[in-house]
Amino acid sequence: MNLVIGTNNQQKAQTVGLVFQQLGIVISSVKILSAASGVAEAPHGKDTYTGARNRALRCREVTKNKNDICIGIESGIVNRYGIYFEEAWAVILCETDEYVGYSSGLVLPKKLLEIMKSKNLTHDKAIKFFDSDAERASNKDTWATYTDNALSRTLSIEEAVRNAAVQSLVHSMSMYH
């Protein structure tokens, strides 16, 4: 099985490989493509799913083999019941089928929300502002930034990919087949 992953992020690509290995799915090759999400740098709400889907579709356009498994992943912010969370979405395209998974979310820290509101900044710009104000090195792993490295965003990416992959690629006796 050949995977085509729409990301430049090595963390995301490694996470996909780990999930497939954990599910017992044999991978012949992995190709990483720079695939535009077509959404804002810091997506909100439905744009997170749309970004993941667009990345998977871009991979599908580029690959020459219709049997390749194309994967798009996107992290973003969602407002649920007045509470802001960061979550990840994964879209897997297999021939003509599409499988979707998303992760649980981590509540955005109040400090970050205050910066976003008071400075009128998007999530990504507020993180950079927070890092510079705190005299810390900028960390692309937002969950690690929120939690002082107690959690990693890899958890959400892994969960989203697993939730999509389990529908499409495992066990012929599962209810998804």
Side-chain angles (χ1 to χ4, degrees):
M1 173 175 309
N2 300 316
L3 297 180
V4 183
I5 307 170
T7 186
N8 284 330
N9 184 314
Q10 289 298 319
Q11 179 188 39
K12 288 180 181 178
Q14 289 171 348
T15 301
V16 170
L18 176 67
V19 168
F20 278 60
Q21 182 181 26
Q22 289 171 346
L23 291 173
I25 301 167
V26 178
I27 301 167
S28 303
S29 70
V30 177
K31 183 176 182 178
I32 298 172
L33 292 176
S34 177
S37 68
V39 297
E41 181 77 20
H44 283 249
K46 186 180 177 192
D47 282 352
T48 310
Y49 157 73
T50 301
R53 186 169 191 272
N54 286 345
R55 290 181 193 278
L57 288 170
R58 303 271 189 287
C59 290
R60 174 60 69 220
E61 291 169 2
V62 170
T63 185
K64 303 295 183 209
N65 185 347
K66 291 186 180 184
N67 293 322
D68 287 347
I69 306 302
C70 297
I71 303 174
I73 304 165
E74 190 73 38
S75 294
I77 308 303
V78 65
N79 180 335
R80 296 202 196 287
Y81 315 109
I83 303 168
Y84 288 89
F85 296 87
E86 182 177 342
E87 63 186 19
W89 282 76
V91 174
I92 298 176
L93 301 177
C94 302
E95 297 181 34
T96 59
D97 296 319
E98 179 177 318
Y99 303 95
V100 178
Y102 74 99
S103 71
S104 56
L106 184 62
V107 173
L108 293 185
K110 289 180 184 176
K111 291 178 183 180
L112 184 63
L113 286 170
E114 289 169 6
I115 292 169
M116 290 170 69
K117 290 177 183 174
S118 67
K119 306 273 185 211
N120 195 27
L121 296 174
T122 59
H123 176 256
D124 58 322
K125 291 188 175 29
I127 289 276
K128 289 176 186 169
F129 179 86
F130 183 81
D131 283 348
S132 67
D133 191 50
E135 296 182 8
R136 300 184 321 180
S138 184
N139 185 348
K140 289 189 179 221
D141 186 327
T142 51
W143 285 29
T145 298
Y146 303 157
T147 65
D148 193 28
N149 295 309
L151 295 176
S152 172
R153 186 172 68 150
T154 300
L155 293 169
S156 68
I157 295 166
E158 184 177 323
E159 187 177 14
V161 171
R162 184 179 302 107
N163 289 346
V166 76
Q167 298 168 54
S168 63
L169 304 169
V170 298
H171 312 298
S172 63
M173 295 298 291
S174 81
M175 290 182 71
Y176 291 106
H177 290 274

